[in-house]
Amino acid sequence: MKKTVICNISMKENLDQVIYSSTDRSLPVSDRKVSYPICAFLEKTMTSEDELDAILLVKKDKNDHYKKNIERFREELEAVNEKIDADISYTIIDSEFEEHQTVHEQLMKEIVAHISDNSHILADITYGPKDLPIVLFTTLSFAEKFLNCTVDNIVYGQASFENGRAVDTKICDMMPLYCLSSVTNTIQCTDPDKARRMFNTLLTF
């Protein structure tokens, strides 16, 4: 199966490697210690028949921590793939750590350019600045509408911190939030009260 994995790369100096738990049957995870929860998920779901395009979204921090964190992702995914033997390719898309419209627009253009038509998309939004999930949601919506892609999973690694260390780590499913955002964009209503009722109805599904 043709799959596209999109992962936000961390800018932190030292990334914890932890075991992510899951109480969601749709998000099985391995007991491997990882920094990127998508890798623990892929260990349980990836097969030797998969062709995986890994798109790494990088914000270039001034201390170049991102370089080591790119390698951490590659090492973790390759370790997962050691016994699976899927076909994996890597694309790095970097952009400046700036909140300018031109930066966002260029980033979206590059992501769209590297998403293969008809692919199944998985994303990890655990790391990165606040603009990246918004940019990614917009891009994924475009890929579904115009590139014949299917967004299968959007994961987030939740954690608490004690003495600077990640604890109580678990993997979370962001697909309901993405789907809700997509659906609300299709609502057409000129009456505010009716629109609120429609919105509340959507939330009960």
Side-chain angles (χ1 to χ4, degrees):
M1 181 182 292
K2 190 69 174 177
K3 293 182 178 179
T4 300
V5 174
I6 304 175
C7 185
N8 298 344
I9 297 299
S10 176
M11 295 186 293
K12 289 178 61 178
E13 181 176 5
N14 296 306
L15 286 182
D16 292 333
Q17 285 188 306
V18 298
I19 297 174
Y20 282 91
S21 66
S22 176
T23 56
D24 188 340
R25 282 185 168 182
S26 67
L27 288 177
V29 288
S30 70
D31 57 3
R32 182 188 299 271
K33 284 189 174 183
V34 293
S35 296
Y36 295 94
I38 191 72
C39 292
F41 174 67
L42 286 170
E43 184 164 1
K44 287 293 188 178
T45 58
M46 192 166 61
T47 74
S48 59
E49 304 299 318
D50 289 334
E51 296 178 35
L52 213 69
D53 293 331
I55 300 175
L56 310 184
L57 305 184
V58 176
K59 289 290 186 179
K60 295 187 289 187
D61 64 278
K62 63 181 180 180
N63 296 311
D64 290 348
H65 298 318
Y66 70 92
K67 293 180 179 178
K68 183 170 67 173
N69 294 332
I70 290 172
E71 288 308 307
R72 171 70 62 83
F73 178 89
R74 291 176 65 113
E75 289 169 2
E76 290 185 352
L77 186 53
E78 292 298 333
V80 165
N81 193 42
E82 193 170 288
K83 294 182 179 179
I84 299 171
D85 199 28
D87 183 15
I88 302 177
S89 63
Y90 295 89
T91 299
I92 297 172
I93 299 177
D94 58 45
S95 57
E96 297 299 327
F97 186 30
E98 298 287 349
E99 299 298 336
H100 298 312
Q101 182 178 344
T102 53
V103 174
H104 299 149
E105 290 172 349
Q106 184 61 33
L107 179 56
M108 284 190 279
K109 287 178 183 177
E110 291 195 47
I111 297 172
V112 167
H114 287 92
I115 293 177
S116 299
D117 298 354
N118 309 303
S119 65
H120 288 255
I121 301 175
L122 306 90
D124 185 334
I125 60 172
T126 303
Y127 302 109
K130 300 300 185 289
D131 63 316
L132 276 180
I134 299 171
V135 167
L136 192 54
F137 276 28
T138 303
T139 307
L140 295 181
S141 180
F142 178 89
E144 282 196 301
K145 289 179 181 178
F146 302 109
L147 306 183
N148 199 33
C149 293
T150 301
V151 179
D152 286 345
N153 301 96
I154 302 174
V155 304
Y156 169 73
Q158 180 181 328
S160 299
F161 289 88
E162 294 181 359
N163 300 318
R165 302 288 296 178
V167 297
D168 300 326
T169 48
K170 64 180 180 179
I171 194 168
C172 303
D173 184 8
M174 296 291 105
M175 278 299 294
L177 185 60
Y178 169 72
C179 292
L180 180 62
S181 175
S182 298
V183 171
T184 55
N185 287 336
T186 67
I187 294 177
Q188 295 184 1
C189 183
T190 57
D191 181 272
D193 289 334
K194 183 178 179 181
R196 288 189 180 95
R197 289 196 297 272
M198 293 170 66
F199 182 72
N200 289 336
T201 300
L202 284 172
L203 292 176
T204 62
F205 290 152

